[in-house]
Amino acid sequence: MGRAKNIVVGSRGDALSSLYRAHVCAALAEAHPSVKFVDALEGRGRDDGAKPAGLKLEARRAAAVLHRLGKGEIDVAVMDARWIPFQIAEALEIAAIFARTNPFDALVSNEGLILDEQLENACVAVSDPVKRGQLLYYRSDLRFVEGEDDFGGLFDAMNRGTIDAFVFPASDVEMLNQQENVAEVFTTSICTPIAGQGALALIGRRDKKDVISMLRDVNDRSAAMEVEIERMFLERVAKDGKAPVGVLANVDENEFEIEAAIVAFDGSEKITGIMSGAVADRSRIVEKLAGELLASGGEEIVESFRKQRGNG
């Protein structure tokens, strides 16, 4: 089979995703200079498609990108690893994970106040209920409101005084070149990130073996294994991946460490654990950690969370 001359790369249509898409195209072009990697907005197709009801905006957009990939409108889907569904079409394959950037969460606030310095009843926007629960556990006297993954919109709301601060993935802050506005980057003692944060996934069609091969050339083994371990833990807690779980894996050659938290939606309870071992033994270690956290009260937290979110 001859290699395709033009490879169309697509993602969500927001500004941040466009930056990541351009970053991926540049890396692929460097690895394969004889191939032209075309930005989807310059080629065929647009950032729309099937948008299943009942999903958050970010998940709907991710589903739309995979829909376009399945229909053959694009050849490669660039996706934040947080939003990869646990069930994707059989015809699709996660071919590569880019080298991971900062997986933690950052706080952007008026006057550069860190979380400990925020005044009582200060209003902080958070895009994910898992992070909201952890932050409520740490500072129950603050008001945490839901916000979408839109840095510009959140920053404007903060400047208008609608909110006092907001939480945003540190990797996205760095891609947007907004580090100067960060007051604090949370450690896991405050907020354990959600599975896949800080990682980019490249997804292709299984029948496009030449494209899959090119994508694998830019795969980062450690990042790919970290995402696999995190998703393995999340799936063990809830098979559809919908659970109040923060989880972070760190792979160092053939060894790894995993840290996880199961947190109540209202911040009333947080159960944490950490384990390490050989990558080859990851299934057993993940199973053991998940089992211990669930047996320590995590199962009740998960059940309550799913009922509150309409997934019970």
Side-chain angles (χ1 to χ4, degrees):
M1 180 187 296
R3 290 199 170 222
K5 294 182 180 179
N6 289 345
I7 305 298
V8 181
V9 181
S11 70
R12 288 166 33 167
D14 58 277
L16 179 60
S17 295
S18 296
L19 290 173
Y20 279 124
R21 187 174 63 243
H23 176 63
V24 167
C25 284
L28 287 170
E30 182 177 357
H32 300 280
S34 63
V35 179
K36 183 177 181 181
F37 295 90
V38 182
D39 189 302
L41 297 185
E42 297 174 359
R44 61 188 184 276
R46 301 185 64 83
D47 217 5
D48 51 22
K51 296 185 177 181
L55 297 177
K56 288 184 65 176
L57 178 60
E58 295 89 346
R60 293 203 310 268
R61 287 173 172 170
V65 176
L66 293 180
H67 180 73
R68 294 173 59 203
L69 178 63
K71 289 177 61 179
E73 295 179 2
I74 58 176
D75 301 303
V76 179
V78 179
M79 184 171 296
D80 187 320
R82 292 178 297 167
W83 307 123
I84 303 172
F86 272 80
Q87 286 82 35
I88 63 175
E90 182 65 28
L92 306 183
E93 176 181 341
I94 302 172
I97 301 290
F98 252 42
R100 199 171 198 175
T101 55
N102 193 330
F104 299 101
D105 285 290
L107 180 72
V108 178
S109 68
N110 278 323
E111 302 179 1
L113 298 179
I114 66 173
L115 195 63
D116 284 341
E117 296 170 334
Q118 294 293 322
L119 298 178
E120 184 178 347
N121 208 41
C123 183
V124 181
V126 188
S127 65
D128 189 275
V130 178
K131 299 175 186 180
R132 177 182 181 274
Q134 293 184 80
L135 295 173
L136 270 171
Y137 182 83
Y138 188 81
R139 283 288 307 268
S140 61
D141 59 321
L142 300 182
R143 289 188 299 122
F144 292 98
V145 297
E146 189 168 349
E148 295 294 348
D149 279 358
D150 177 5
F151 187 96
L154 291 169
F155 196 80
D156 288 345
M158 186 179 71
N159 286 335
R160 291 194 308 269
T162 306
I163 58 176
D164 298 296
F166 63 92
V167 178
F168 212 75
S171 56
D172 294 348
V173 173
E174 293 170 4
M175 177 57 69
L176 292 167
N177 198 28
Q178 294 290 335
Q179 297 96 314
E180 64 182 24
N181 293 306
V182 172
E184 178 181 16
V185 176
F186 297 140
T187 63
T188 52
S189 63
I190 298 177
C191 185
T192 303
I194 61 177
Q197 187 160 297
L200 277 182
L202 307 186
I203 303 173
R205 291 177 55 96
R206 293 184 188 275
D207 60 351
K208 299 287 186 179
K209 298 187 183 302
D210 53 342
V211 176
I212 293 292
S213 177
M214 283 186 271
L215 298 182
R216 287 176 177 164
D217 288 340
V218 298
N219 182 59
D220 184 276
R221 177 187 175 277
S222 293
M225 185 57 63
E226 288 170 357
V227 171
E228 177 187 322
I229 291 169
E230 290 166 12
R231 286 169 62 83
M232 184 187 300
F233 180 89
L234 183 56
E235 188 173 21
R236 170 61 181 83
V237 174
K239 290 195 176 298
D240 60 2
K242 297 176 182 178
V245 169
V247 58
L248 180 65
N250 180 42
V251 172
D252 184 6
E253 297 185 351
N254 296 321
E255 301 291 319
F256 81 100
E257 181 179 86
I258 178 173
E259 187 169 1
I262 300 177
V263 60
F265 184 78
D266 61 1
S268 59
E269 191 173 4
K270 179 180 177 181
I271 301 171
T272 64
I274 184 169
M275 287 188 181
S276 60
V279 168
D281 200 23
R282 61 190 180 277
S283 295
R284 184 191 65 81
I285 293 171
V286 165
E287 176 72 25
K288 182 178 180 181
L289 179 60
E292 289 186 1
L293 267 58
L294 288 169
S296 299
E299 189 167 358
E300 290 76 12
I301 294 175
V302 171
E303 290 178 359
S304 175
F305 175 88
R306 292 172 68 83
K307 288 177 180 177
Q308 292 180 35
R309 304 294 290 183
N311 296 309

